Amino acid sequence: MLEVSKISKHYSTPRGLLTVLSKVTLSLAPGDAVAILGPSGIGKSSLLYILGGLEPPSAGSVSLGGRNLYELASSELAGFRNTQIGFVFQDHCLLPQCSVFENVLVPTLVARAGDTGQRADFTGHALSLLEQVGLSDRIEHRPGELSGGEKQRVAIARALIRRPHLVLCDEPTGNLDPVSAGAVASLLLDLHRRQKNILIVVTHSARLASQFPIRFELADGQLNRIES
Ligand SMILES: Nc1ncnc2c1ncn2[C@@H]1O[C@H](COP(=O)(O)OP(=O)(O)O)[C@@H](O)[C@H]1O
Ligand SMILES: [Mg+2]
């Protein structure tokens, strides 16, 4: 379960305190796929980073699987994030000098040395994920040799390599043409259905949000459920 309780976020700016989130509460279970819709500047990335353990809220708590993220020591939080949470960003953030296959394995590099069984498992899982995202014939390519949609599919495979319980996507189709965007969104949902994780996508695209079974709008620091 992901339990978000009364999180607020304020930034101090030269013009005073800017409140972007105001007592946001949300409870999601494995298998939930959620889109959070809102215009640029409304606080979507702030919310996603807080949910992902990357940025502490000004108030409130976030717990995943019963662990309160911001009560963990920073080294513990880093390990927790690495194994439990997968991220996909608008800019794929792939390592340009590494192959597609190596990029997918990056989150596994912190696995304990000598854990050869797990390493072999990750290798097989990476190949399987690359097949599922339709890139089996691109595994030796560098990111510079891929289309935008293909890069984003690598980023999705990388986000899923540790079999995270929570997958967070920040405008994952923001840089793609409509056809590639539709394909990436379908793929995210398809993989989500197979893995039974919690999937949260934040986006300004009503079209992307409409593909998700649960939708919220972020406005005035609050999450409002969009009823279909
Ligand atoms: N570190 C920061 N310091 C001050 N203001 C910030 C900071 N990060 C974001 N903001 C402001 O908070 C608001 C929400 O930002 P963000 O969460 O990135 O929105 P979105 O992802 O919806 O575009 C914006 O007005 C932005 O300028
Ligand atoms: Mg943003």
Side-chain angles (χ1 to χ4, degrees):
M1 291 287 293
L2 174 69
E3 302 276 3
V4 178
S5 177
K6 293 186 184 163
I7 54 169
S8 296
K9 185 68 181 177
H10 317 288
Y11 293 112
S12 54
T13 72
R15 297 175 60 189
L17 213 57
L18 172 70
T19 296
V20 293
L21 300 171
S22 180
K23 296 187 179 163
V24 170
T25 293
L26 180 67
S27 179
L28 298 174
D32 284 343
V34 175
I36 296 174
L37 183 65
S40 178
I42 204 75
K44 301 182 301 297
S45 295
S46 301
L47 175 60
L48 208 72
Y49 288 17
I50 291 169
L51 300 187
L54 293 170
E55 168 84 24
S58 308
S61 66
V62 179
S63 70
L64 180 63
R67 309 286 302 277
N68 187 331
L69 299 191
Y70 296 102
E71 282 180 357
L72 298 174
S74 64
S75 60
E76 255 185 311
L77 176 58
F80 186 78
R81 227 174 21 225
N82 182 257
T83 55
Q84 309 282 319
I85 304 175
F87 289 94
V88 179
F89 299 98
Q90 177 167 354
D91 292 309
H92 50 83
C93 304
L94 300 176
L95 299 174
Q97 70 278 26
C98 293
S99 70
V100 161
F101 183 60
E102 288 163 344
N103 266 286
V104 172
L105 284 169
V106 162
T108 71
L109 298 179
V110 297
R112 276 191 302 278
D115 202 347
T116 47
Q118 203 179 19
R119 243 168 237 293
D121 171 54
F122 284 141
T123 302
H125 190 39
L127 292 171
S128 159
L129 283 168
L130 283 167
E131 186 186 345
Q132 292 174 65
V133 302
L135 291 177
S136 290
D137 56 353
R138 295 284 190 280
I139 63 173
E140 294 304 332
H141 283 231
R142 312 271 159 213
E145 299 162 349
L146 299 175
S147 72
E150 287 171 341
K151 284 182 219 174
Q152 219 37 339
R153 286 190 267 149
V154 178
I156 292 169
R158 180 184 56 185
L160 297 176
I161 186 73
R162 305 287 313 234
R163 300 183 175 86
H165 292 121
L166 177 62
V167 179
L168 301 173
C169 309
D170 193 352
E171 304 276 10
T173 62
N175 286 346
L176 303 179
D177 62 80
V179 172
S180 304
V184 162
S186 306
L187 180 64
L188 269 173
L189 281 161
D190 188 32
L191 291 170
H192 161 76
R193 276 183 217 107
R194 287 186 224 173
Q195 304 210 344
K196 293 272 179 291
N197 47 32
I198 298 172
L199 172 65
I200 302 178
V201 170
V202 301
T203 180
H204 64 269
S205 163
R207 185 170 173 172
L208 172 60
S210 72
Q211 292 180 252
F212 284 72
I214 306 173
R215 294 184 301 280
F216 292 91
E217 184 182 31
L218 181 59
D220 298 326
Q222 309 272 334
L223 276 185
N224 302 310
R225 182 86 184 248
I226 303 173
E227 302 298 341
S228 38

Short mmCIF file of all heavy atoms in Angstrom, two decimals, residues 9-14 18-21 38-49 55 170-171 202-204 218, ligand 1:
data_model
loop_
_atom_site.label_atom_id
_atom_site.label_comp_id
_atom_site.label_asym_id
_atom_site.label_seq_id
_atom_site.Cartn_x
_atom_site.Cartn_y
_atom_site.Cartn_z
N LYS A 9 3.43 21.11 0.78
CA LYS A 9 4.74 21.52 0.31
C LYS A 9 4.75 23.02 0.09
O LYS A 9 3.92 23.57 -0.63
CB LYS A 9 5.09 20.82 -1.01
CG LYS A 9 6.49 21.11 -1.50
CD LYS A 9 7.55 20.51 -0.61
CE LYS A 9 8.97 20.81 -1.08
NZ LYS A 9 9.98 20.27 -0.17
N HIS A 10 5.67 23.68 0.77
CA HIS A 10 5.86 25.12 0.60
C HIS A 10 7.28 25.36 0.14
O HIS A 10 8.20 24.70 0.60
CB HIS A 10 5.67 25.86 1.94
CG HIS A 10 4.51 25.38 2.74
ND1 HIS A 10 3.20 25.62 2.39
CD2 HIS A 10 4.45 24.64 3.89
CE1 HIS A 10 2.39 25.08 3.29
NE2 HIS A 10 3.12 24.47 4.21
N TYR A 11 7.45 26.29 -0.77
CA TYR A 11 8.79 26.74 -1.15
C TYR A 11 8.94 28.17 -0.68
O TYR A 11 8.01 28.98 -0.85
CB TYR A 11 8.98 26.70 -2.67
CG TYR A 11 8.97 25.31 -3.28
CD1 TYR A 11 7.93 24.91 -4.11
CD2 TYR A 11 10.00 24.42 -3.02
CE1 TYR A 11 7.93 23.64 -4.69
CE2 TYR A 11 10.00 23.15 -3.59
CZ TYR A 11 8.96 22.77 -4.42
OH TYR A 11 8.96 21.52 -4.98
N SER A 12 10.11 28.50 -0.12
CA SER A 12 10.30 29.91 0.20
C SER A 12 10.92 30.59 -1.01
O SER A 12 11.89 30.10 -1.60
CB SER A 12 11.16 30.08 1.45
OG SER A 12 12.36 29.39 1.30
N THR A 13 10.33 31.66 -1.42
CA THR A 13 10.77 32.40 -2.61
C THR A 13 10.97 33.86 -2.18
O THR A 13 10.50 34.26 -1.11
CB THR A 13 9.69 32.35 -3.73
OG1 THR A 13 8.59 33.18 -3.34
CG2 THR A 13 9.20 30.93 -3.97
N PRO A 14 11.65 34.63 -3.02
CA PRO A 14 11.86 36.04 -2.67
C PRO A 14 10.54 36.78 -2.43
O PRO A 14 10.49 37.76 -1.70
CB PRO A 14 12.59 36.60 -3.89
CG PRO A 14 13.24 35.42 -4.52
CD PRO A 14 12.34 34.26 -4.26
N LEU A 18 5.57 30.01 -1.07
CA LEU A 18 4.72 29.52 -2.16
C LEU A 18 4.20 28.14 -1.76
O LEU A 18 4.99 27.22 -1.52
CB LEU A 18 5.55 29.42 -3.44
CG LEU A 18 4.91 28.76 -4.65
CD1 LEU A 18 3.80 29.65 -5.20
CD2 LEU A 18 5.96 28.48 -5.72
N THR A 19 2.90 27.99 -1.64
CA THR A 19 2.32 26.69 -1.27
C THR A 19 1.89 25.97 -2.54
O THR A 19 1.05 26.47 -3.29
CB THR A 19 1.10 26.89 -0.35
OG1 THR A 19 1.56 27.49 0.85
CG2 THR A 19 0.43 25.57 -0.03
N VAL A 20 2.48 24.79 -2.80
CA VAL A 20 2.07 24.05 -3.99
C VAL A 20 1.19 22.84 -3.64
O VAL A 20 0.40 22.41 -4.47
CB VAL A 20 3.25 23.62 -4.89
CG1 VAL A 20 3.92 24.83 -5.53
CG2 VAL A 20 4.26 22.80 -4.17
N LEU A 21 1.35 22.30 -2.43
CA LEU A 21 0.51 21.18 -2.01
C LEU A 21 -0.03 21.49 -0.63
O LEU A 21 0.68 22.00 0.23
CB LEU A 21 1.32 19.88 -1.96
CG LEU A 21 1.95 19.43 -3.27
CD1 LEU A 21 2.90 18.25 -3.02
CD2 LEU A 21 0.89 19.04 -4.30
N GLY A 38 -2.75 18.02 -14.51
CA GLY A 38 -2.70 19.41 -14.10
C GLY A 38 -1.80 20.20 -15.02
O GLY A 38 -0.89 19.63 -15.63
N PRO A 39 -2.01 21.50 -15.13
CA PRO A 39 -1.19 22.32 -16.01
C PRO A 39 0.23 22.49 -15.47
O PRO A 39 0.50 22.20 -14.30
CB PRO A 39 -1.92 23.66 -16.04
CG PRO A 39 -2.66 23.72 -14.75
CD PRO A 39 -3.02 22.30 -14.41
N SER A 40 1.11 22.97 -16.32
CA SER A 40 2.49 23.21 -15.93
C SER A 40 2.55 24.18 -14.75
O SER A 40 1.78 25.14 -14.70
CB SER A 40 3.23 23.78 -17.15
OG SER A 40 4.54 24.07 -16.81
N GLY A 41 3.43 23.90 -13.79
CA GLY A 41 3.63 24.80 -12.67
C GLY A 41 2.69 24.57 -11.50
O GLY A 41 2.78 25.26 -10.49
N ILE A 42 1.82 23.57 -11.59
CA ILE A 42 0.80 23.39 -10.56
C ILE A 42 1.32 22.59 -9.36
O ILE A 42 0.74 22.60 -8.28
CB ILE A 42 -0.47 22.72 -11.17
CG1 ILE A 42 -1.72 23.04 -10.34
CG2 ILE A 42 -0.31 21.23 -11.31
CD1 ILE A 42 -2.23 24.43 -10.53
N GLY A 43 2.43 21.84 -9.58
CA GLY A 43 2.98 21.07 -8.46
C GLY A 43 3.07 19.57 -8.69
O GLY A 43 3.32 18.81 -7.76
N LYS A 44 2.90 19.14 -9.94
CA LYS A 44 2.90 17.69 -10.23
C LYS A 44 4.25 17.05 -9.92
O LYS A 44 4.31 16.00 -9.28
CB LYS A 44 2.54 17.44 -11.70
CG LYS A 44 1.20 17.98 -12.11
CD LYS A 44 0.87 17.67 -13.56
CE LYS A 44 1.86 18.22 -14.56
NZ LYS A 44 1.94 19.70 -14.58
N SER A 45 5.33 17.69 -10.40
CA SER A 45 6.65 17.09 -10.15
C SER A 45 6.96 17.11 -8.66
O SER A 45 7.51 16.14 -8.12
CB SER A 45 7.74 17.84 -10.92
OG SER A 45 7.55 17.68 -12.31
N SER A 46 6.60 18.20 -8.00
CA SER A 46 6.82 18.28 -6.54
C SER A 46 6.15 17.10 -5.85
O SER A 46 6.76 16.42 -5.01
CB SER A 46 6.26 19.58 -5.98
OG SER A 46 6.86 20.69 -6.61
N LEU A 47 4.91 16.83 -6.22
CA LEU A 47 4.17 15.72 -5.60
C LEU A 47 4.85 14.39 -5.90
O LEU A 47 5.07 13.57 -4.99
CB LEU A 47 2.72 15.72 -6.12
CG LEU A 47 1.85 14.56 -5.66
CD1 LEU A 47 1.72 14.53 -4.13
CD2 LEU A 47 0.45 14.64 -6.30
N LEU A 48 5.24 14.20 -7.14
CA LEU A 48 5.84 12.91 -7.52
C LEU A 48 7.17 12.69 -6.80
O LEU A 48 7.46 11.58 -6.35
CB LEU A 48 6.04 12.88 -9.04
CG LEU A 48 6.02 11.50 -9.65
CD1 LEU A 48 4.61 10.93 -9.65
CD2 LEU A 48 6.57 11.52 -11.05
N TYR A 49 7.97 13.74 -6.69
CA TYR A 49 9.26 13.61 -6.02
C TYR A 49 9.06 13.30 -4.54
O TYR A 49 9.82 12.54 -3.94
CB TYR A 49 10.11 14.88 -6.20
CG TYR A 49 10.64 15.06 -7.60
CD1 TYR A 49 10.10 14.36 -8.68
CD2 TYR A 49 11.69 15.93 -7.87
CE1 TYR A 49 10.58 14.54 -9.97
CE2 TYR A 49 12.19 16.11 -9.16
CZ TYR A 49 11.63 15.41 -10.21
OH TYR A 49 12.11 15.58 -11.48
N GLU A 55 12.28 14.10 -2.24
CA GLU A 55 12.14 15.47 -1.74
C GLU A 55 11.19 15.45 -0.55
O GLU A 55 10.04 15.04 -0.70
CB GLU A 55 11.56 16.32 -2.89
CG GLU A 55 11.07 17.70 -2.54
CD GLU A 55 12.20 18.73 -2.53
OE1 GLU A 55 13.21 18.50 -3.20
OE2 GLU A 55 12.04 19.73 -1.82
N ASP A 170 6.94 10.94 -14.57
CA ASP A 170 6.75 12.39 -14.65
C ASP A 170 6.71 12.79 -16.13
O ASP A 170 7.75 12.79 -16.79
CB ASP A 170 7.91 13.09 -13.94
CG ASP A 170 7.63 14.58 -13.72
OD1 ASP A 170 6.62 15.08 -14.24
OD2 ASP A 170 8.43 15.22 -13.02
N GLU A 171 5.53 13.09 -16.63
CA GLU A 171 5.35 13.48 -18.04
C GLU A 171 6.08 12.51 -18.98
O GLU A 171 6.88 12.94 -19.82
CB GLU A 171 5.88 14.90 -18.29
CG GLU A 171 5.29 15.97 -17.41
CD GLU A 171 3.95 16.50 -17.94
OE1 GLU A 171 3.39 15.91 -18.89
OE2 GLU A 171 3.47 17.50 -17.38
N VAL A 202 2.09 11.51 -13.70
CA VAL A 202 1.62 12.90 -13.67
C VAL A 202 1.82 13.50 -15.05
O VAL A 202 2.81 13.22 -15.73
CB VAL A 202 2.34 13.76 -12.59
CG1 VAL A 202 2.14 13.19 -11.20
CG2 VAL A 202 3.80 13.97 -12.88
N THR A 203 0.85 14.27 -15.49
CA THR A 203 0.87 14.77 -16.86
C THR A 203 -0.02 16.00 -17.02
O THR A 203 -0.97 16.18 -16.26
CB THR A 203 0.40 13.66 -17.83
OG1 THR A 203 0.43 14.17 -19.16
CG2 THR A 203 -1.01 13.20 -17.52
N HIS A 204 0.31 16.82 -18.04
CA HIS A 204 -0.60 17.90 -18.39
C HIS A 204 -1.52 17.45 -19.54
O HIS A 204 -2.36 18.22 -20.00
CB HIS A 204 0.19 19.15 -18.82
CG HIS A 204 0.98 18.92 -20.06
ND1 HIS A 204 2.29 18.49 -20.04
CD2 HIS A 204 0.64 19.01 -21.36
CE1 HIS A 204 2.72 18.35 -21.28
NE2 HIS A 204 1.73 18.65 -22.11
N LEU A 218 -4.95 17.91 -10.11
CA LEU A 218 -4.26 18.68 -9.09
C LEU A 218 -4.56 20.15 -9.33
O LEU A 218 -4.26 20.68 -10.41
CB LEU A 218 -2.75 18.40 -9.16
CG LEU A 218 -1.86 19.11 -8.13
CD1 LEU A 218 -2.26 18.74 -6.70
CD2 LEU A 218 -0.39 18.76 -8.36
N1 LIG B 1 12.88 24.35 -5.39
C1 LIG B 1 11.94 25.23 -5.65
N2 LIG B 1 11.96 26.47 -5.09
C2 LIG B 1 11.00 27.38 -5.33
N3 LIG B 1 9.93 27.15 -6.11
C3 LIG B 1 9.84 25.95 -6.70
C4 LIG B 1 10.83 24.92 -6.51
N4 LIG B 1 10.47 23.83 -7.21
C5 LIG B 1 9.32 24.14 -7.83
N5 LIG B 1 8.93 25.40 -7.52
C6 LIG B 1 7.71 26.08 -7.98
O1 LIG B 1 6.60 25.30 -7.56
C7 LIG B 1 5.61 25.25 -8.55
C8 LIG B 1 5.31 23.80 -8.91
O2 LIG B 1 6.42 23.25 -9.58
P1 LIG B 1 6.39 21.77 -10.17
O3 LIG B 1 6.10 20.83 -9.07
O4 LIG B 1 7.65 21.56 -10.93
O5 LIG B 1 5.12 21.86 -11.16
P2 LIG B 1 4.72 20.98 -12.44
O6 LIG B 1 5.51 19.73 -12.40
O7 LIG B 1 3.25 20.76 -12.29
O8 LIG B 1 5.02 21.82 -13.65
C9 LIG B 1 6.12 26.07 -9.73
O9 LIG B 1 5.54 27.34 -9.66
C10 LIG B 1 7.60 26.13 -9.50
O10 LIG B 1 8.14 27.32 -10.00
#
